[in-house]
Amino acid sequence: MKETPTLVKTLKLHQVVFMGLAWMTPMIYFTVYGVAFDAAGGMLAAAYVTAFIAIFFTAYSYSQMVKAYPISGSAYIYAKKAVHPIAGYLVGWALLLDYIFSPIIAILTFGIFMNTEFPSIPVFVWIILMNVVLAIVNIVGIKSAARVSGLSVLFQIAFIILFCILVVKDILTGQTDSHSILSLAPFFNDHVSIDGVLSGAALICFCFLGFDAVTTMAEETINAKKTIPKAIYLIVIIAVIMYLSISYLSEIAFPNFTFTNPDNAAYRLVQLVGGNLLSSLFIMVLIVATFTQGVSSVTSVSRFLFALGRESILPKKLFTTIHPKYKTPVSNILFVSVISLSAVFINLDSAVLFVSFGALTAFTFVNLSVVFHYYIRQKRRSPKETFLYLIFPLIGASFIGWLLTLLDKTTLFIGLIWVAVGFVYLVVKSKWEVAKGRKYSISKVKQIVD
């Protein structure tokens, strides 16, 4: 009998955390700074606290579900096992938008930054080069990807710490508009707009995406039931500390900071803090950060496709092929690299919106999966368990579901069309696999995805 393809457990806690932070890309704070600043009415610190609260509920739900199902597949597996096979399939299909477009965003952003530094070389050249390098790094092995991600994350965190130190120095030496380093103004003042803070929080939830991606590496993680939950919490906490520190100090130091172009607002802020030397370092760090985000996102999507292939949602023979030497899903990595070439044509804003639709849809169902698995199926209903497995995840599902409705109508429309296409694919696939002439029923679909 032919053995089922399996992945090798090699990842430790620090490696998983670095992979998640690399996928998240701490420097993304600066990438969305201008747009987020406008959306939040300048109250970025308050908006990041609000976003953290929303994400924390979902992080909790992921940590609970990975204990129940420590296998690759993430939200798809959780919704399938806990809610219903068809629900799981549709969540997985929606999540494909998140995972497939994530490397596209990294590759396109890398191309844009490199073209800025070297205008004579077209963006598409950098995109092709990036694709080739990402494929090689991921094929060689998950541990090599973790090493690259670890170095990049340390580089990014070092820059953020340097930025914060310089801001603190300016405040203490009286070189800014503020002479006090302790103030509640970034959170409470006469100009606070609750609607603005909530709008900003809805947008910057995107900055936290990455903690969820580490669940796709459960089968390559040592003692995944303990390691992955710890990694999820560490990633979210590290991220909010970094984002909140930058926001708080910047708002204290430059309460009257303004800009005309949101796309380069962060560059202007960095120049204000450290001049041309810091701004040059800023560009270099951003380029490195986008490269390693691409490494981590290709790793995640290739494992997600592996899970879908093993479940026969996608062609099993193609999507479960493991390299005999490096033990990595080589065909998936090559498939993602080919798809990512669309970065030559696609718009960055559109890619970000597709990622948001897929991620927020998945987050909603992961919260609901906790309710179905623990509260409904396992009947864990003591007062404490009712809070942990019913009330807490329902708050998370409601919060994230509300954020999903805040996406623009075009994105929601295209996202729903994508889900509808997935359902049609499921129906066609089921009819193909059911014996010819037999009546199709929804139970047959359930058998195929179960």
Side-chain angles (χ1 to χ4, degrees), residues 90-132:
L90 294 177
V91 168
W93 190 265
L95 197 57
L96 273 175
L97 285 177
D98 179 357
Y99 284 115
I100 287 178
F101 277 92
S102 291
I104 291 176
I105 290 174
I107 290 166
L108 181 54
T109 304
F110 178 85
I112 292 171
F113 284 140
M114 292 302 290
N115 178 252
T116 300
E117 289 294 294
F118 306 99
S120 61
I121 303 178
V123 173
F124 75 87
V125 174
W126 295 115
I127 289 174
I128 294 172
L129 178 62
M130 177 75 150
N131 262 296
V132 172

Side-chain angles (χ1 to χ4, degrees), residues 224-235:
K225 287 187 177 183
K226 290 185 177 180
T227 303
I228 296 295
K230 288 180 182 178
I232 289 172
Y233 287 124
L234 282 172
I235 291 166

Side-chain angles (χ1 to χ4, degrees), residues 31-64:
T31 304
V32 302
Y33 176 80
V35 177
F37 187 97
D38 281 343
M43 301 295 293
L44 275 180
Y48 270 105
V49 170
T50 305
F52 167 72
I53 293 171
I55 291 298
F56 183 80
F57 286 103
T58 302
Y60 164 79
S61 292
Y62 267 100
S63 71
Q64 295 304 310

Side-chain angles (χ1 to χ4, degrees), residues 53-65 74-76 78-79 82-83 91 211-212 233 359-376 387-403:
I53 293 171
I55 291 298
F56 183 80
F57 286 103
T58 302
Y60 164 79
S61 292
Y62 267 100
S63 71
Q64 295 304 310
M65 294 309 298
S74 189
Y76 156 68
Y78 306 154
V83 182
V91 168
F211 75 90
D212 58 308
Y233 287 124
L360 292 177
T361 300
F363 288 178
T364 301
F365 275 88
V366 169
N367 282 295
L368 293 176
S369 295
V370 174
V371 177
F372 276 86
H373 178 76
Y374 290 101
Y375 191 78
I376 296 177
F387 176 77
L388 292 176
Y389 303 132
L390 178 66
I391 298 174
F392 206 76
L394 281 181
I395 293 174
S398 300
F399 208 155
I400 296 296
W402 172 73
L403 293 179

Side-chain angles (χ1 to χ4, degrees), residues 20-21 72 144 190 193 198-199 238 247 253 291 295-296 311 344 347-348 360 363 373 385 395 398 403 407 413 435 446:
L21 288 173
S72 297
S144 67
D190 296 336
S193 167
L198 292 175
S199 296
I238 291 171
S247 300
F291 169 75
V295 172
S296 187
E311 296 286 319
V344 173
N347 178 277
L348 183 59
L360 292 177
F363 288 178
H373 178 76
E385 291 171 335
I395 293 174
S398 300
L403 293 179
L407 295 177
F413 179 71
K446 182 180 183 300

